[in-house]
Amino acid sequence: MQPRPRTIPEATVARLAVYLRVLTTLADGGRTTVSSGELASAAGVNPAGLRKDLSHLGPCGVRGVGYEVRSLRDRLARVLGVERARACVLVGIGNLGSALADYAGFGTRGFDFVGLFDASPARVGQRIGDLTVRSLDELEEVVAATGASIGVITTPAEVAQQVCDRLAAAGVQSILNFAPVTLAAPPGVDVRKVDLSVELQVLAFLGQQRLVPSAARGASVEESA
């Protein structure tokens, strides 16, 4: 994997991944160029922020023309290290794990699941997509054989740390954690946490905030009457 330039902030890296997704969609649709305004709007940022993010890559666009879609897409893919397929393993074949394992979009973005694992004998042997769920006892063997560098954890919270430890010991360098617990990983292993309940709570808060001005205005009208 091409190392990520350390001068690029993590928040910017996350937005670069969004730009890559948008550019891939545009390229698949036959677009050859895109303006900064169009790209920024599709990515949900402002044009000034987009240009600042892309400045970490060096000169990219042409004034009055915009960005060459395929060229910028390929450049972002190289910087983000996704220009080649990355082998992934997933541990925890519940409802969420099964849905993630069966999602075709990962494969089209260069992330290839090479192993699915669960500790429950009832789930071992199930077929999801092109893969058969394996016993967790086979985790280390599969990671070693496939060179998997990314692990996805969708287990219950109480076993997530144990799974993280095994993934790291097996040689996995990056872990995406969906379990509702903070994991400790050794140096050299990156962990990203996705807490769906927290994201829903943030959305609930934002929705509540939108209702507050309306309620306040209604109260003011009643008081003035």
Side-chain angles (χ1 to χ4, degrees):
M1 173 180 175
Q2 179 174 327
R4 186 174 73 221
R6 295 299 179 184
T7 55
I8 302 182
E10 186 171 322
T12 300
V13 171
R15 290 191 294 272
L16 292 180
V18 176
Y19 305 150
L20 176 59
R21 184 189 65 201
V22 172
L23 289 165
T24 299
T25 300
L26 291 174
D28 291 344
R31 284 288 297 273
T32 57
T33 61
V34 62
S35 70
S36 60
E38 288 178 300
L39 182 54
S41 177
V45 301
N46 62 65
L50 169 76
R51 289 190 289 270
K52 182 178 180 181
D53 289 340
L54 295 181
S55 70
H56 290 282
L57 311 181
C60 293
V62 178
R63 184 179 296 276
V65 177
Y67 303 102
E68 204 284 316
V69 171
R70 292 184 180 276
S71 176
L72 183 56
R73 178 202 61 185
D74 294 345
R75 192 167 181 179
L76 284 170
R78 288 193 298 272
V79 169
L80 294 172
V82 296
E83 76 279 14
R84 61 180 179 84
R86 304 290 303 282
C88 311
V89 294
L90 186 148
V91 182
I93 309 299
N95 292 333
L96 177 58
S98 297
L100 292 174
D102 200 34
Y103 175 55
F106 293 128
T108 62
R109 296 295 185 268
F111 299 97
D112 182 24
F113 280 114
V114 296
L116 309 176
F117 302 90
D118 201 279
S120 170
R123 292 197 174 102
V124 173
Q126 290 181 359
R127 192 77 177 172
I128 300 178
D130 296 328
L131 294 176
T132 299
V133 178
R134 296 170 177 257
S135 167
L136 193 55
D137 294 337
E138 301 180 62
L139 177 64
E140 288 80 4
E141 176 186 348
V142 173
V143 170
T146 61
S149 60
I150 297 177
V152 181
I153 298 176
T154 53
T155 65
E158 58 269 22
V159 298
Q161 183 61 59
Q162 179 184 354
V163 171
C164 175
D165 294 342
R166 290 183 61 175
L167 287 169
V172 168
Q173 300 170 335
S174 305
I175 295 173
L176 183 62
N177 175 37
F178 284 89
V181 63
T182 299
L183 300 178
V189 177
D190 298 316
V191 177
R192 297 280 296 181
K193 182 180 179 182
V194 180
D195 193 324
L196 299 178
S197 64
V198 169
E199 298 301 327
L200 288 172
Q201 288 167 352
V202 171
L203 289 174
F205 170 78
L206 295 175
Q208 181 65 26
Q209 290 298 102
R210 284 196 296 272
L211 295 176
V212 170
S214 298
R217 286 196 298 270
S220 297
V221 169
E222 291 177 1
E223 291 170 1
S224 62

